[in-house]
């Protein structure tokens, strides 16, 4: 069983910055990619950013140029640096990872519990 634990959410004023972190822990696994989704009140969960094990990055158009995803393979950690935050960025941010389980030889998607980001005066 792989667990994903997010941290770093909070309240920030428009134009401010926050850095989210997500750590994957467990045994007998490799990570194919890690990323972030978000869900605002009354809206569907949406893709934010992804980092593959090969170092490729992908972003939603709404966050390009403002958010940066990075990772530490040794620590099984992914970060989301969020700059120039807007009220529309307010949401619960979920970490996700595609996991290859080396003992079961299967692939699955795991999710964290989410961390609240609120952008407001």
């Amino acid at each position: 069983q792989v667990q994903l634990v997010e941290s770093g959410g909070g309240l920030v004023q428009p134009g401010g910055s926050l850095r989210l972190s997500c750590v994957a822990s467990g045994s007998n696994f490799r990570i194919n990619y890690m990323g972030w989704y978000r869900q605002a009140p009354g809206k569907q969960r949406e893709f934010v950013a992804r980092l593959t094990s090969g170092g490729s990055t992908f972003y939603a158009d709404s966050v390009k140029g403002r958010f940066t995803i990075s990772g530490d393979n040794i620590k099984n950690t992914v970060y989301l640096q969020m700059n120039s935050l807007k009220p529309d960025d307010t949401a619960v941010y979920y970490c996700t990872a595609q996991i290859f389980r080396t003992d079961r030889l299967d692939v699955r998607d795991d999710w964290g519990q989410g961390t609240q980001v609120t952008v407001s005066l």
Side-chain angles (χ1 to χ4, degrees):
Q1 184 77 15
V2 175
Q3 289 189 323
L4 302 177
V5 179
E6 303 103 331
S7 61
L11 173 65
V12 64
Q13 292 186 352
S17 298
L18 279 176
R19 188 193 195 206
L20 305 182
S21 300
C22 174
V23 180
S25 62
S27 59
N28 302 315
F29 73 97
R30 289 201 302 264
I31 297 173
N32 290 337
Y33 62 75
M34 294 184 77
W36 296 90
Y37 280 68
R38 66 187 181 186
Q39 187 167 19
K43 294 187 177 181
Q44 290 189 334
R45 191 172 296 190
E46 64 176 7
F47 168 77
V48 176
R50 176 179 295 172
L51 174 66
T52 71
S53 58
S56 297
T57 57
F58 303 89
Y59 297 94
D61 287 343
S62 60
V63 307
K64 279 181 183 177
R66 301 187 298 121
F67 292 9
T68 302
I69 190 169
S70 61
D72 184 329
N73 290 338
I74 295 175
K75 296 181 180 179
N76 288 329
T77 301
V78 68
Y79 307 98
L80 186 67
Q81 178 66 44
M82 305 185 294
N83 298 329
S84 302
L85 282 161
K86 307 173 182 179
D88 284 349
D89 295 317
T90 296
V92 177
Y93 283 70
Y94 295 91
C95 176
T96 184
Q98 187 182 77
I99 302 294
F100 172 67
R101 297 191 292 187
T102 57
D103 54 345
R104 303 189 184 193
L105 301 180
D106 65 0
V107 174
R108 57 176 284 154
D109 291 327
D110 283 324
W111 294 84
Q113 293 298 307
T115 184
Q116 177 70 46
V117 171
T118 302
V119 185
S120 179
L121 291 172

